């Protein structure tokens, strides 16, 4: 090897660690990249409609069942969140109750609840977003669209997905809410490495203690692209209560528009 070649070889060896360091992905960058890939794979669904059932269980195992419907509208801009409206049909004491949500990124979400017994629309305060949604173990903030820029991310490790997907490998990512008045200090998510869908989510309360665990089960793919869970089991470890949401088949691009997601429609929505 000539002198010049030896100098070049030594130079490459010397700067290699520098180059590797410059292009190494930090845990924060990797966590954000996983969240962005999950979001990218779900772009373009437009609007959707699905019939659901909510089962509430107390610590003694007693249960009650509610029938409801969820309609959603995709807002493609990254700096704006999706819109949704939830309407209850059964039992009679909750029939006609409707919840409208316009998700924001860091500003407070716009949320309204129509209570037919009072015949009035109540605006949900941003300070109450950590409160229970109609007596369930889901908080209002759990049910809005999960926009990427609402959280800071940190990849923790890779491991088996566990009971929600026993044969799958998951990314384990910590995410910290960036919006105000969250009831959580952090959430730990298990993201399937094959389809980038969440399989499990742990919620930690303001004292950083484990509060709830959510399992997302029975995924189906629609239109060759969009994965949707058909069962969500939320367990509150501090109260012993739990709530299960089950979903029938989804319908996509059913013709919903912005006009279907305005406050004035709440009293008339069916």
């Amino acid at each position: 090897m000539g002198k010049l070649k030896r100098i070049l070889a030594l130079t490459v060896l010397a700067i290699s660690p520098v180059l590797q360091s410059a292009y190494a992905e930090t845990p924060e960058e990797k966590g954000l990249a996983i969240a962005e890939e999950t979001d990218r794979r779900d772009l373009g669904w437009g609007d959707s409609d699905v019939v659901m059932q909510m089962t509430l269980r107390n610590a003694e195992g007693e249960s009650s069942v509610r029938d409801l419907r969820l309609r959603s509208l995709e807002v493609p801009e990254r700096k704006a969140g999706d819109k949704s409206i939830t309407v209850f049909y059964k039992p009679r004491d909750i029939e006609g109750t409707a919840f409208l949500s316009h998700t924001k990124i860091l500003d407070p979400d716009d949320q309204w609840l129509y209570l037919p017994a009072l015949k009035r629309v109540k605006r949900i305060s941003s300070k109450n977003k950590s409160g229970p949604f109609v007596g369930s173990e889901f908080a209002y903030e759990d049910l809005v669209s999960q926009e990427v820029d609402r959280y800071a991310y940190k990849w923790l490790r890779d491991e088996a997905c566990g009971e929600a997907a026993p044969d799958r490998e998951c990314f384990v990512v910590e995410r910290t809410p960036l919006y105000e008045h969250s009831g959580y200090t952090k959430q730990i998510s298990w993201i399937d490495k094959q389809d980038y869908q969440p399989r499990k989510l742990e919620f930690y309360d303001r004292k950083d203690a484990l509060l709830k665990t959510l399992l997302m089960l029975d995924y189906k793919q629609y239109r060759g692209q969009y994965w949707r869970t058909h069962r969500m089991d939320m367990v509150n470890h501090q109260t012993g209560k739990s709530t299960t949401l089950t979903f029938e088949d989804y319908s996509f691009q059913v013709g919903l528009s912005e006009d279907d997601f305005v406050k004035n429609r709440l009293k008339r929505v069916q």
Side-chain angles (χ1 to χ4, degrees):
M1 181 183 292
K3 184 177 179 181
L4 179 59
K5 288 185 177 179
R6 285 200 299 273
I7 292 173
L8 288 173
L10 289 172
T11 302
V12 169
L13 286 173
I15 66 173
S16 287
V18 177
L19 292 173
Q20 289 174 6
S21 175
Y23 291 101
E25 191 175 40
T26 67
E28 289 77 12
E29 290 170 339
K30 184 170 182 176
L32 175 60
I34 293 166
E36 289 180 328
E37 179 62 15
T38 298
D39 185 65
R40 187 192 67 77
R41 294 186 180 211
D42 198 49
L43 293 175
W45 50 270
D47 59 88
S48 69
D49 184 7
V50 65
V51 173
M52 305 161 60
Q53 192 167 77
M54 173 185 283
T55 302
L56 296 85
R57 301 179 192 82
N58 62 22
E60 289 70 41
E62 299 169 331
S63 64
S64 59
V65 178
R66 298 168 176 180
D67 292 342
L68 57 156
R69 182 178 219 112
L70 172 66
R71 296 187 177 109
S72 305
L73 182 71
E74 181 181 27
V75 179
E77 294 81 12
R78 178 156 176 167
K79 296 302 180 183
D82 297 339
K83 300 179 179 181
S84 65
I85 188 165
T86 306
V87 184
F88 287 82
Y89 295 98
K90 294 181 181 178
R92 183 176 294 275
D93 63 352
I94 199 171
E95 180 181 357
T97 299
F99 172 63
L100 173 65
S101 179
H102 294 179
T103 306
K104 307 293 184 182
I105 305 302
L106 298 181
D107 292 333
D109 300 325
D110 290 328
Q111 296 180 326
W112 300 268
L113 186 67
Y114 174 62
L115 300 169
L118 302 178
K119 295 183 178 179
R120 72 181 182 94
V121 176
K122 173 185 176 184
R123 186 178 180 88
I124 305 298
S125 167
S126 60
K127 294 181 180 178
N128 290 334
K129 65 174 59 179
S130 61
F133 175 65
V134 292
S136 76
E137 298 313 305
F138 288 86
Y140 286 98
E141 66 180 293
D142 301 339
L143 296 172
V144 302
S145 59
Q146 300 299 297
E147 307 295 335
V148 172
D149 294 331
R150 288 169 65 88
Y151 301 92
Y153 299 88
K154 182 179 181 181
W155 169 82
L156 300 178
R157 60 190 180 273
D158 294 344
E159 67 179 25
C161 296
E163 58 184 311
D167 299 326
R168 299 291 188 93
E169 186 82 6
C170 275
F171 302 110
V172 183
V173 177
E174 177 182 299
R175 65 182 194 181
T176 305
L178 298 177
Y179 53 90
E180 289 187 319
H181 307 304
S182 174
Y184 312 119
T185 53
K186 65 182 178 186
Q187 301 170 10
I188 308 294
S189 60
W190 279 254
I191 308 297
D192 193 319
K193 297 174 75 170
Q194 184 170 318
D195 56 23
Y196 281 77
Q197 296 305 306
R199 301 289 174 175
K200 177 181 173 182
L201 193 57
E202 291 181 345
F203 301 84
Y204 289 78
D205 67 14
R206 290 169 179 163
K207 296 180 180 178
D208 209 24
L210 178 60
L211 174 63
K212 302 184 294 188
T213 297
L214 175 66
L215 296 183
M216 286 152 277
L217 309 161
D218 300 336
Y219 273 89
K220 293 182 182 178
Q221 191 179 37
Y222 293 87
R223 297 186 170 228
Q225 179 177 354
Y226 308 117
W227 290 97
R228 293 292 182 271
T229 177
H230 287 68
R231 181 183 175 104
M232 300 171 72
D233 290 335
M234 180 76 89
V235 176
N236 188 318
H237 301 288
Q238 298 182 7
T239 65
K241 297 179 180 178
S242 65
T243 298
T244 294
L245 288 175
T246 56
F247 303 75
E248 296 184 5
D249 286 344
Y250 280 80
S251 297
F252 287 89
Q253 299 178 9
V254 295
L256 299 174
S257 68
E258 293 279 352
D259 291 342
D260 295 301
F261 298 86
V262 295
K263 184 182 71 172
N264 293 338
R265 293 292 297 271
L266 276 175
K267 295 181 181 179
R268 295 177 282 122
V269 70
Q270 295 295 324

